[in-house]
Each structure stands twice: as C-alpha cells, then as structure tokens.
Amino acid sequence: MSHHPFLVDLRAHMRNRSDNRIDFLAPYVGFPLIFILGLLLAVLPLATNVIKVKPVTIIVVISSMICYLCGALPVLLLNSVCGAKVITICCLCRQNKRYLKILFLLYAICMGALLYEYALFGSIPLLSATVENDRFAFMQSGYIHLIAMTIVPTSLCIIAYFIENRKTLSLSTRMLLLGAIVFAAFAVLGVGSRGHLIISIAIILVYYHYRKTNIRLITFCLFGVVGFVFLSAFKFLREYLLWGDLYIASLDSIWRLKGYYWLVPGYLTVAMNYSVLDKLIETFPNNLSHTYGYFFSFPIRSLLPGVDEDLGQFQNRVWDTGFDKTLTSTYLGVPFADFGIIGTSIFSFCLGLAMTWLYVVMKQRRTPSITFVYSYLVVNLYLCLYTNNYQYFHFYWNLVYIAFLSNLWFYKNDSNNHRCTHER
C-alpha cells in the first residue's frame, strides 16, 4: 500500500533514524501531548475550591495547540517537497585550549559575581527557614545577579566541552572541569534555585541524546517523574519544617486524596497554572482591556530604570492576591493578556513554526552548536507548561550567550571537518 510522500517524511522525522523509535523530543510530538496532559490534570477533581478551569479556558488551550501544530506543518511539508540534504558530521569536535581558557575566565567572572551576592546578602538562602522569601530577596541585585546566574549557561558549555572531549582530555583537565561543574551546582543550589539544577540536567540530557546516544523514552519519563517528585517533596519538606502540623492541616482541607501530601506542591505547580490562566481569561477583556504588547515588551522594559512588573506581578496587584511571588499562567498568559485569543493563536502558530524549523535544521546538520541551541530551546518549550520564559530578558541573554560560546568553539571545528552527505 502506497503512502503520500509527506506522511512518509513525517514518520521519518518523528523517529530517530538510528533505532527507528519515536522521537518524543520532536517539538510537534511531545510538547502538545504534555500540554494537554497538564490540562487534564488541572481538570481532574483532586483539590477542592483551589483549581478551577472553565470550558472557555479548555477551548483556548486546545485551539492554541491546534494552531501550534498548524505552524509545524508548513515546515515539514516544505522540507518534504524540497528533499533537503541530511549533512552528518563524521569527525566530531577536537580540543580547543584557547576556548577553554576563555570559558574559565567567564566562569571566574560569573562565580565572582555570585560569591559577591552571597557576601552582600549575608547568608545562604537554602539554609534559611524562610528560603522562599530569601530566594526572591537574593535576586534583587539587577545586572550583578544577571552576571552571577550566567554561571548556569557557562557551566552548560563546560559540560558540553567535557562530553565532546572526555576521551582525549588529560586526567587533570577532567578533574578541573568536573570540579568546576560540581562547585557551580552547589553554588546555584545554595541560592534556592532548585529549578535551575533540574533544567540544566534536562538540557544536558537532550544534548547527549542527540549527540551521543538515543536515550530511551522510558529514561526521559523516569527523569520527569524523579524531577517532579524531587521538586514536590523538597517544597513539602521545607514548608513542613517551617509550619509543622499547620501545613498538613491546610493541605488536608483542600486535598481529596487523603495522604500523599508530598504530591500536593507538585500537583499545584502544574494545575495552578491553568487555573491562573482561567482567571486571566475571565479578567480580559471583561474587567480590563487587553494590554496590546505591554507584556511582550517586558524584556526591554525590564532593562530600563524604575519599577516595572511582569504579568505575574501585574496579576498579584490587580487581583490583590497577597501572594509575594510571581503567579504563572502557562505560556498562554502573556499573549492572551496582550491580544486575547487572537494573540494565543498567532503566538502558538509562530512558536510551532520556529521550533519545528530549528528541529529540522538540527536533524539535517547534526552540528554540536545547533544541537546545543536546540537543547536549550526545547527544554524552555516544555517549560511553557509552567510559564512563558519568552517574556524575560534572561532567556534571550542565555540564548545568545550559549549560541555565541558554542559557535566560538564549534564553528571552526565544524567547518574543518569532513562532511558526509546523502539525499533523503
């Protein structure tokens, strides 16, 4: 039985060529599935009077996912019609000692800024009884904090260098690289940024998946479950140590599944985003008019002097929540607040188009630099289940930083490598 060439090409892209397994990390496979599963989790009656998702919100979410997939289709169709070449890099990367010196210079600058912040703050937020409040207070030093947290993408570049050259590195260099990575991990964890650690591990897993070996889907699922349990149990333990039985009593009043209280923070982390989106859809435009680009411009506005607010802080103020942290409403909150359902549809279409194009390019060229950039972007894509990182300047800062550093090392190596090409 014959099949349309586009359907054959689609199946080829959905599978890893080396073992013919479904590539769950393809942006048009895993992300829509995870996002809809998050919606189903929010709809399930696991908590009373806390999570509310009305039919109109379900319609907005599903229509956005349809638009996202519609954005992916033109790229796949064009790629199928054009019959683009698949370029495989036969020789990988070689050591570049000059690049390594630059990398460690940047590492020293970022670590110096982070240690300066610790000295300025006077304590380690992670060891504080009020770690959540201290964690947010720690992040208020503006540009210094931006430089300090650049230790995360710098460490990711060090890990990528280690992965590509681990067999040829001397023992002393390997120990130096591993020591720098471990020290940075503990330094970032001390801020209370457990999310940075999980996200960094996810980026490296994706990079390793495409560069070295195809990691099985069960491994990614196991990592997701372990990460979810770790974040949920960590927050539960922290709050229990702070409030004791009062915290258990507060959970008991809302949690339908008696027991398993350590799951509640993780459940609320996912489901609450859809509930906040639901309230946002109720607010705009019934009570407030759309902001027409105000929140999309936050990456630029946040660089200017004066007090400014992102969407989460805006929601706290307008709804008078008394919540001292940022409310998140998945990635759909920002486009809906600015332009309504038209905004969520267009933004989702563009997101699907851009991510699928990058995925196709990455699968064709197989270069370390493109794979590294894609790994960073696809992990942030999955974080759209939680928030819209595209509204923050540090997302673009880290993206440009990673792209620049990876090309600084990889570009010369890639251009000098012998390439094997074949027509798909």
Side-chain angles (χ1 to χ4, degrees):
M1 181 178 178
S2 62
H3 297 280
H4 192 278
F6 171 66
L7 297 178
V8 175
D9 184 73
L10 179 60
R11 281 201 298 269
H13 272 289
M14 289 177 65
R15 295 177 182 272
N16 282 318
R17 297 181 186 276
S18 59
D19 58 7
N20 207 36
R21 289 199 299 264
I22 295 293
D23 188 3
F24 188 75
L25 294 178
Y28 45 84
V29 178
F31 173 66
L33 178 62
I34 292 293
F35 202 79
I36 295 298
L37 286 177
L39 176 64
L40 292 176
L41 187 64
V43 172
L44 290 175
L46 298 179
T48 60
N49 302 322
V50 177
I51 307 300
K52 298 178 181 179
V53 179
K54 292 186 286 295
V56 64
T57 303
I58 297 175
I59 293 173
V60 170
V61 170
I62 293 177
S63 65
S64 297
M65 285 300 97
I66 292 174
C67 290
Y68 176 89
L69 292 173
C70 287
L73 282 177
V75 179
L76 297 174
L77 183 59
L78 182 63
N79 188 65
S80 174
V81 171
C82 293
K85 291 181 179 180
V86 176
I87 303 174
T88 302
I89 304 300
C90 299
C91 303
L92 301 182
C93 297
R94 62 178 183 273
Q95 293 187 49
N96 187 329
K97 294 183 179 179
R98 182 178 298 177
Y99 169 81
L100 199 56
K101 291 177 181 178
I102 295 173
L103 202 56
F104 269 103
L105 174 62
L106 293 171
Y107 179 92
I109 294 173
C110 297
M111 184 59 70
L114 184 56
L115 295 177
Y116 172 76
E117 278 200 307
Y118 274 117
L120 201 64
F121 193 73
S123 65
I124 299 177
L126 183 65
L127 303 180
S128 172
T130 56
V131 60
E132 281 298 305
N133 294 330
D134 287 358
R135 179 167 71 95
F136 280 90
F138 190 91
M139 300 178 182
Q140 302 304 315
S141 55
Y143 293 109
I144 295 177
H145 183 71
L146 179 65
I147 295 173
M149 295 312 294
T150 305
I151 192 67
V152 175
T154 304
S155 299
L156 290 176
C157 291
I158 292 176
I159 296 172
Y161 185 90
F162 181 85
I163 289 174
E164 297 291 348
N165 297 285
R166 68 187 185 281
K167 293 182 179 179
T168 58
L169 292 172
S170 64
L171 179 61
S172 59
T173 304
R174 275 185 285 177
M175 295 302 294
L176 180 64
L177 292 175
L178 289 174
I181 294 165
V182 172
F183 185 71
F186 278 103
V188 172
L189 193 60
V191 180
S193 300
R194 59 195 182 278
H196 278 100
L197 191 60
I198 297 295
I199 292 169
S200 298
I201 294 174
I203 292 172
I204 292 303
L205 273 177
V206 175
Y207 181 80
Y208 193 82
H209 168 71
Y210 285 116
R211 285 296 298 162
K212 296 300 179 181
T213 182
N214 289 323
I215 301 174
R216 291 180 177 274
L217 175 59
I218 187 66
T219 304
F220 278 108
C221 292
L222 182 62
F223 173 77
V225 171
V226 171
F228 176 84
V229 170
F230 170 75
L231 294 175
S232 183
F234 184 88
K235 186 172 183 179
F236 170 80
L237 180 62
R238 186 180 63 232
E239 296 295 333
Y240 180 74
L241 292 175
L242 180 61
W243 301 104
D245 291 337
L246 289 175
Y247 181 58
I248 298 295
S250 66
L251 295 181
D252 197 51
S253 64
I254 64 170
W255 188 236
R256 292 183 184 272
L257 302 177
K258 301 306 177 184
Y260 303 101
Y261 296 115
W262 50 273
L263 287 175
V264 180
Y267 164 76
L268 292 178
T269 298
V270 176
M272 185 63 76
N273 302 310
Y274 293 89
S275 184
V276 175
L277 177 63
D278 183 85
K279 189 172 178 61
L280 193 70
I281 292 173
E282 182 182 321
T283 302
F284 293 98
N286 295 332
N287 301 323
L288 294 172
S289 60
H290 291 294
T291 48
Y292 300 107
Y294 179 77
F295 296 114
F296 268 118
S297 66
F298 182 73
I300 298 175
R301 291 188 291 109
S302 62
L303 300 176
L304 303 177
V307 179
D308 211 337
E309 57 185 6
D310 60 13
L311 178 60
Q313 296 163 334
F314 174 83
Q315 291 166 160
N316 286 339
R317 177 173 59 82
V318 170
W319 298 336
D320 193 21
T321 61
F323 189 60
D324 58 351
K325 305 172 187 67
T326 298
L327 285 172
T328 53
S329 52
T330 76
Y331 83 98
L332 296 175
V334 170
F336 189 88
D338 274 348
F339 301 106
I341 194 170
I342 296 177
T344 59
S345 300
I346 295 177
F347 184 77
S348 297
F349 179 89
C350 294
L351 185 62
L353 182 74
M355 286 303 302
T356 304
W357 173 80
L358 183 61
Y359 174 77
V360 169
V361 170
M362 185 270 298
K363 294 285 281 186
Q364 288 174 359
R365 294 187 59 81
R366 304 276 187 171
T367 64
S369 50
I370 294 177
T371 305
F372 200 16
V373 170
Y374 177 76
S375 302
Y376 173 77
L377 288 175
V378 78
V379 170
N380 277 277
L381 176 67
Y382 278 82
L383 288 176
C384 285
L385 180 73
Y386 175 69
T387 189
N388 188 324
N389 277 334
Y390 310 112
Q391 66 174 315
Y392 298 114
F393 175 77
H394 67 75
F395 166 81
Y396 302 99
W397 169 268
N398 290 340
L399 175 61
V400 172
Y401 188 86
I402 285 175
F404 173 75
L405 280 184
S406 62
N407 277 282
L408 186 66
W409 167 39
F410 291 134
Y411 179 76
K412 185 176 181 181
N413 293 322
D414 292 346
S415 63
N416 292 334
N417 281 331
H418 173 66
R419 291 176 174 176
C420 302
T421 63
H422 62 273
E423 296 285 347
R424 194 180 56 246

